Amino acid sequence: MGIEALSRGADRATFVERSGPALAGIRHNLEATGLAERAEVIGRDVFGYLREAPVPFDVIFVAPPQWRGLWPRAVTLLDREPGWLAGGAVAVAQHDPAESVPLDLAHLELADERTYGRVRFTFFAAREPG
């Protein structure tokens, strides 16, 4: 999704991935598309990354391996520190519809859900103060 966003005009994209083969694929595809200069590729576990001081993003796309309960864990970590989302930003989790679970969130709220076959996109936005 980050490469697609770059190809459609996004200024920058940050990829956080711990799998060596997936990292190699990301780097290869960025080079092949000529988009590597506008990308940051971070080779580490995303859960550790999300425990650090937040850097605000306009869009955060969460797409972990399915059927491991990872997408709710990632969204919950994003919720702990509201600084991950810039003003008007959105976090999108991609998962199988059967993996849908309600989340008890303090700073994020469910904004939309869209299902296409066996893929669901769940959109979260920052809660309005008050």
Side-chain angles (χ1 to χ4, degrees):
M1 284 306 234
I3 291 173
E4 180 70 18
L6 288 169
S7 74
R8 292 178 180 254
D11 291 332
R12 303 245 347 118
T14 301
F15 300 82
V16 181
E17 174 62 58
R18 75 175 187 172
S19 164
L23 279 169
I26 291 167
R27 288 185 176 113
H28 170 79
N29 290 333
L30 286 166
E31 290 295 331
T33 57
L35 299 168
E37 288 184 17
R38 295 178 20 223
E40 178 182 15
V41 181
I42 299 170
R44 64 179 295 202
D45 181 81
V46 73
F47 299 113
Y49 180 80
L50 291 175
R51 286 186 178 92
E52 293 181 0
V55 176
F57 289 94
D58 294 324
V59 176
I60 296 176
F61 192 73
V62 177
Q66 295 185 3
W67 299 107
R68 296 185 186 166
L70 299 176
W71 81 265
R73 191 171 152 205
V75 171
T76 299
L77 281 172
L78 287 171
D79 182 64
R80 283 188 188 172
E81 183 60 61
W84 285 110
L85 292 180
V90 63
V92 184
Q94 176 184 332
H95 55 94
D96 188 285
E99 286 187 289
S100 291
V101 294
L103 300 177
D104 184 22
L105 303 172
H107 302 288
L108 299 176
E109 63 185 356
L110 179 67
D112 194 5
E113 283 191 310
R114 298 179 190 180
T115 303
Y116 305 94
R118 299 295 305 162
V119 177
R120 176 166 292 158
F121 296 97
T122 303
F123 297 77
F124 298 91
R127 289 187 189 273
E128 292 296 321

